[in-house]
Amino acid sequence: MRRLLTEVQPYAEKAERLQLKFFGGGLRKVEAMVTKSTAFVNLMADPLLHELNEAVIGAESLLNGSAVFILEKGGRDQTLHHDGTIYEPMLPRDPSGPHHLLVFMWAVTDFTAENGATRAIPGSHLWPADRQPADDDPVDYLEMPQGSFAVWLGSTYHAASINHTNQARVGTQMGFSAGCLRPHEAHLLLVPPLVARDLPINVQEVLGYRA
């Protein structure tokens, strides 16, 4: 985690706070992490991730997107959302259907309720398509020490919360999608063959280098 922080620092310093109201006002984001951090690649090569992907979304999953989120003091809660919206309406939300997105969030620094830990609504992956989060829905704060990770289905409502401390809360996210879907990031362009050939085989495959 410390090495990932060091490797992402030059990119984080250039990243501006995300301005859309949706993001809450306290977030900076660094994307396309595979070519920016060897520590990130090592995390992504962990066989456990690939075993979970195969169990939940099927064989031959693809990296949907990757990012480091730097949450600084101030702003407001991020809007609760689910990641499957990027495929709607072509792929409607269907709680009875197969899962097609799985998201991992690693705590690069400690996650606490005080410093803006990701919050999620348990059971929201079972909601029908027309249900939206309400003020009285129970919310869990994903509090976890540095080096831990949380994993949730792409249909789960979640969001960053407010950082009330003077230290940035940093997390790195890697989302995976079913192999039949076009990923959010174009990894065959972001990670060209001359770079990809030196990566672990399981990382090459989820980038799309697979027969």
Side-chain angles (χ1 to χ4, degrees):
M1 295 299 124
R2 288 192 294 269
R3 184 152 59 89
L4 197 155
L5 272 175
T6 299
E7 291 172 341
V8 80
Q9 188 62 33
Y11 306 98
E13 290 175 352
K14 299 175 184 177
E16 297 182 356
R17 285 196 180 191
L18 301 171
Q19 297 301 310
L20 289 177
K21 184 179 180 181
F22 166 82
F23 292 109
L27 274 174
R28 290 187 287 136
K29 183 180 184 183
V30 178
E31 297 182 284
M33 287 301 301
V34 174
T35 56
K36 295 182 172 74
S37 168
T38 56
F40 182 90
V41 171
N42 288 341
L43 290 177
M44 212 173 86
D46 191 318
L48 176 61
L49 273 69
H50 302 274
E51 292 171 13
L52 286 170
N53 282 333
E54 183 167 352
V56 176
I57 58 178
E60 301 190 3
S61 63
L62 292 172
L63 180 66
N64 191 265
S66 60
V68 165
F69 292 96
I70 302 101
L71 181 63
E72 297 171 325
K73 185 176 182 178
R76 57 195 172 277
D77 286 334
Q78 185 186 17
T79 302
L80 286 160
H81 62 284
H82 69 90
D83 295 329
T85 55
I86 65 172
Y87 294 112
E88 294 176 349
M90 292 75 68
L91 191 62
R93 180 181 177 87
D94 180 6
S96 65
H99 302 296
H100 54 270
L101 283 169
L102 195 64
V103 180
F104 296 80
M105 173 67 84
W106 295 79
V108 182
T109 61
D110 292 343
F111 274 38
T112 68
E114 185 68 13
N115 75 2
T118 302
R119 64 196 200 284
I121 302 178
S124 56
H125 64 288
L126 300 173
W127 289 0
D130 58 351
R131 180 172 175 185
Q132 297 293 319
D135 292 339
D136 58 351
D137 285 320
V139 174
D140 285 348
Y141 285 82
L142 306 182
E143 296 187 278
M144 50 186 177
Q146 183 185 50
S148 305
F149 75 85
V151 57
W152 60 83
L153 295 166
S155 51
T156 302
Y157 276 91
H158 66 281
S161 51
I162 302 171
N163 187 347
H164 297 282
T165 74
N166 293 318
Q167 298 295 319
R169 186 274 282 165
V170 183
T172 190
Q173 180 174 304
M174 47 194 78
F176 297 87
S177 53
C180 60
L181 298 175
R182 177 177 176 173
H184 174 65
E185 293 180 336
H187 295 106
L188 299 184
L189 296 177
L190 293 170
V191 191
L194 290 178
V195 176
R197 68 183 183 183
D198 295 324
L199 300 175
I201 292 296
N202 59 6
V203 173
Q204 292 180 21
E205 291 180 340
V206 294
L207 293 174
Y209 291 100
R210 188 198 305 265

